[in-house]
Amino acid sequence: MNYHNNQYMVMAEGFMSRVYAWMTAGLCVTASVAYYLSPTVNHDLFMQLTPYIMVFGLFQLGIVFYFSMAWKSLSSTSLAALFLVYSALMGVTLSPLAYMYTGESIFQIFLLAAAMFGVMAIYGSVTKSDLSSMSNILLMGLLGIIFAQFINIFWQNAQFDIITSCIGVGLFAVLTAYDVQKLRNFGAQAVASQDDIDKIALLGALTLYLDIINLFLYLIRLFGKKKD
């Protein structure tokens, strides 16, 4: 029994190492692009791209849907390229944060988001509780917060924005633990070709990447220090 448990643990750790490696690569690409396009580094280029931020956001949405729907038919190389393109586009859409918030604040909030992500990832890795039972609740929460944010685009209520941001932090913290446990379970029991495992590792990397990015975005709305 111990032999099989150790074998499953080794398989899970190997799979999760790939997931975290790709997630980290995506975050590095995003941070590099966002820094390069920030108004303090390339002001003219930033001003030229600003009117098209919404277009880049729509491209991102399209890539996520395509990535999620077509991953089985695409090669792992194609998925890796899509993931890196998505990460770069995220850097473009996040670049205006440097115009709104101080650089020190952005750095501190990202460290906070990374710390929260790390704590919840560890919890998802070690907990004996079956978090899969929360899937419907988390899905409803995700849809609810998307709807609430859409409503607030027109309502523009500051207090409502604070409430949704607090809920968003809690939601994506729990989603991190849920996603990590789900991915570890797959890694421990995977019976698939190496290419399929690589593709699912990329799908997992995108999932965790979105968890930490959303944690960061909700936290900076709550605690970010805006420029004067």
Side-chain angles (χ1 to χ4, degrees):
M1 179 68 74
N2 288 337
Y3 169 76
H4 289 297
N5 287 340
N6 290 337
Q7 187 180 35
Y8 288 149
M9 186 172 293
V10 169
M11 291 172 63
E13 292 298 336
F15 175 74
M16 290 306 295
S17 294
R18 287 188 207 145
V19 172
Y20 287 129
W22 276 112
M23 183 198 77
T24 303
L27 290 173
C28 289
V29 170
T30 298
S32 299
V33 172
Y35 175 76
Y36 180 77
L37 295 179
S38 64
T40 54
V41 177
N42 276 302
H43 182 269
D44 291 343
L45 183 58
F46 172 79
M47 296 306 295
Q48 290 172 5
L49 291 177
T50 297
Y52 305 103
I53 292 295
M54 186 65 70
V55 175
F56 287 114
L58 291 174
F59 272 121
Q60 284 179 255
L61 191 61
I63 288 176
V64 168
F65 277 113
Y66 182 67
F67 196 105
S68 302
M69 300 294 293
W71 68 269
K72 290 183 180 180
S73 60
L74 297 173
S75 68
S76 56
T77 303
S78 299
L79 284 178
L82 271 178
F83 176 64
L84 294 177
V85 169
Y86 179 84
S87 301
L89 288 173
M90 181 66 79
V92 177
T93 57
L94 292 184
S95 60
L97 292 178
Y99 186 79
M100 300 166 58
Y101 300 96
T102 65
E104 181 182 13
S105 177
I106 292 173
F107 180 71
Q108 291 174 344
I109 296 299
F110 181 77
L111 288 182
L112 177 59
M116 289 186 64
F117 177 90
V119 168
M120 297 308 295
I122 292 171
Y123 175 75
S125 299
V126 303
T127 183
K128 302 300 182 182
S129 302
D130 183 9
L131 301 180
S132 63
S133 60
M134 302 178 65
S135 60
N136 289 334
I137 296 174
L138 291 172
L139 178 60
M140 290 172 60
L142 190 58
L143 293 175
I145 201 167
I146 291 172
F147 179 74
Q149 287 183 305
F150 177 76
I151 293 297
N152 207 38
I153 291 175
F154 304 99
W155 193 14
Q156 293 292 310
N157 186 292
Q159 290 184 329
F160 187 72
D161 186 60
I162 291 173
I163 292 171
T164 56
S165 295
C166 289
I167 294 172
V169 169
L171 176 65
F172 281 98
V174 176
L175 267 172
T176 297
Y178 169 83
D179 289 331
V180 167
Q181 185 183 78
K182 182 175 65 175
L183 288 167
R184 282 183 65 84
N185 288 341
F186 169 82
Q189 302 170 17
V191 179
S193 67
Q194 187 59 54
D195 190 57
D196 282 343
I197 291 175
D198 289 341
K199 290 194 286 187
I200 295 172
L202 281 159
L203 192 62
L206 177 62
T207 301
L208 296 185
Y209 170 93
L210 289 173
D211 288 340
I212 192 172
I213 287 292
N214 278 287
L215 266 176
F216 167 72
L217 289 174
Y218 284 115
L219 284 169
I220 203 165
R221 286 165 64 178
L222 285 171
F223 305 115
K225 183 179 179 181
K226 293 190 175 181
K227 292 182 176 178
D228 296 330

